[in-house]
Amino acid sequence: MSGQDTFFSSTFSLNLRGELLELSTPRVMGILNLTPDSFFDGGQFNSAAKAIEQCKKMLDEGADIIDIGAASSRPGSEVLSAHDEWNRMSGILSQLVKEFPNAYFSIDTFHSTVAEKAIDNGAHIINDISGGEMDPKMYSIAAQLKCPLIVMHMQGTPQNMQDNPKYSHVVIEIIQNLQAKVFRAHEAGVLDLIIDPGFGFGKTVEHNFQILNQLDHFHLLKCPILAGLSRKSMIYKSLNSSSDEALNGTTALNMIAMEKGARLLRVHDVKEAKECVSLFTQLKAHEHRTD
């Protein structure tokens, strides 16, 4: 990771198989769910043809990274075995890598065996919603493969995380949890680490807004921050609507997340997120001008 003056206090870059992806301007990660039961788009892209079509659409709209998930992590979802997850993902991943050789792919999994196979088959980044808690081998695998690792905070597991989430001081506790993960990652030899506070993963609506309001506090960990706000219940519950109607709210909160220093936006709607980044970049370019 490099450090120099930009819009933020420092900038970061990710080493993706020898190519550097700079994060001085926020980047957009497009979500590609191969699952039948994800909360917003379950079942829409669970065939190779549909996945390729959606991947092309997101890349054409400017996605910097495509995040592939083969196991749902919606509240109450059952854990998919590593074997079943890889069977669902492997054929589609190989076709995507072949079809889009210049694209960057991240793999949304907490199984280290799935992560290892995916990186060996052309993926670039591991995105672990448990931050190594559900499979402690994830740190050593990421270090061994020399790939970036995204570690997220989650209270509990997808099956029970929304049963009754409680914190004494939500932001402090999440920072402490992620600090321990950062330490473990560095101790294992992980070179590029991204942190994700885990909006909606074991948090109430109020918790989520507290985290967003204090997202700049997470700079204490000296890692790039990923914000995954896209169409989540903190938006549509607050607006008495639904995930289908949560795009405008997603855009509003993405702008706030970037203002507080988020470098990666994980989204379902790439075009709108890229427009948000473009306007944010224009805003920051004129921040100190007096003419």
Side-chain angles (χ1 to χ4, degrees):
M1 295 179 183
S2 57
Q4 64 186 48
D5 292 335
T6 63
F7 297 150
F8 308 102
S9 58
S10 64
T11 188
F12 301 94
S13 62
L14 302 178
N15 185 343
L16 305 177
R17 296 182 178 274
E19 297 181 16
L20 290 183
L21 181 67
E22 293 288 343
L23 301 181
S24 52
T25 298
R27 299 288 185 168
V28 172
M29 174 184 283
I31 299 168
L32 183 60
N33 284 323
L34 309 182
T35 58
D37 55 347
S38 290
F39 81 93
F40 173 63
D41 55 5
Q44 291 188 37
F45 313 117
N46 59 352
S47 72
K50 291 178 180 178
I52 288 170
E53 182 182 3
Q54 178 65 2
C55 184
K56 183 180 187 303
K57 177 179 182 287
M58 291 193 290
L59 291 171
D60 288 346
E61 291 176 347
D64 300 289
I65 301 165
I66 302 296
D67 189 47
I68 305 172
S72 175
S73 55
R74 64 178 175 79
S77 60
E78 294 297 320
V79 172
L80 194 66
S81 71
H83 177 268
D84 289 345
E85 185 178 333
W86 179 244
N87 280 349
R88 183 182 288 173
M89 177 190 299
S90 58
I92 295 177
L93 173 62
S94 64
Q95 291 192 54
L96 290 172
V97 170
K98 182 178 179 180
E99 189 79 18
F100 308 104
N102 298 317
Y104 298 127
F105 295 101
S106 65
I107 298 299
D108 181 357
T109 184
F110 51 76
H111 292 298
S112 64
T113 55
V114 173
E116 183 174 18
K117 290 175 182 176
I119 299 296
D120 285 343
N121 283 271
H124 303 80
I125 301 169
I126 300 169
N127 181 11
D128 183 356
I129 62 167
S130 81
E133 290 188 4
M134 297 182 79
D135 186 344
K137 293 181 181 177
M138 193 67 85
Y139 294 104
S140 59
I141 289 297
Q144 173 189 317
L145 298 172
K146 296 182 172 58
C147 67
L149 174 64
I150 301 168
V151 294
M152 194 188 82
H153 172 272
M154 174 172 58
Q155 187 181 85
T157 67
Q159 296 101 303
N160 61 28
M161 63 186 180
Q162 291 305 112
D163 288 353
N164 188 26
K166 286 185 178 179
Y167 302 85
S168 297
H169 303 283
V170 61
V171 172
I172 292 173
E173 289 175 46
I174 293 172
I175 289 175
Q176 289 173 337
N177 176 276
L178 289 174
Q179 176 64 74
K181 290 179 165 75
V182 169
F183 179 80
R184 289 174 65 188
H186 289 328
E187 192 174 45
V190 177
L191 299 177
D192 286 328
L193 193 66
I194 301 104
I195 57 170
D196 178 352
F199 291 102
F201 285 81
K203 287 97 176 171
T204 64
V205 169
E206 182 180 53
H207 291 147
N208 287 318
F209 278 102
Q210 284 181 264
I211 295 162
L212 181 59
N213 187 47
Q214 299 179 48
L215 194 65
D216 52 334
H217 290 25
F218 289 80
H219 295 305
L220 291 168
L221 301 178
K222 301 186 185 304
C223 294
I225 299 168
L226 182 151
L229 295 155
S230 184
R231 295 183 178 268
K232 288 193 172 172
S233 63
M234 66 182 288
I235 299 169
Y236 62 79
K237 285 182 179 178
S238 298
L239 300 175
N240 295 315
S241 60
S242 67
S243 60
D244 288 338
E245 302 170 286
L247 175 54
N248 189 48
T250 297
T251 300
L253 297 192
N254 277 339
M255 183 65 85
I256 294 168
M258 288 189 291
E259 184 65 42
K260 292 183 175 292
R263 309 296 177 87
L264 288 158
L265 302 178
R266 184 177 181 273
V267 300
H268 298 89
D269 308 280
V270 170
K271 178 179 179 289
E272 290 79 1
K274 290 294 286 190
E275 290 176 349
C276 192
V277 170
S278 180
L279 293 173
F280 174 77
T281 303
Q282 288 288 330
L283 178 69
K284 288 300 175 181
H286 291 81
E287 194 167 52
H288 301 296
R289 288 183 61 173
T290 57
D291 57 322

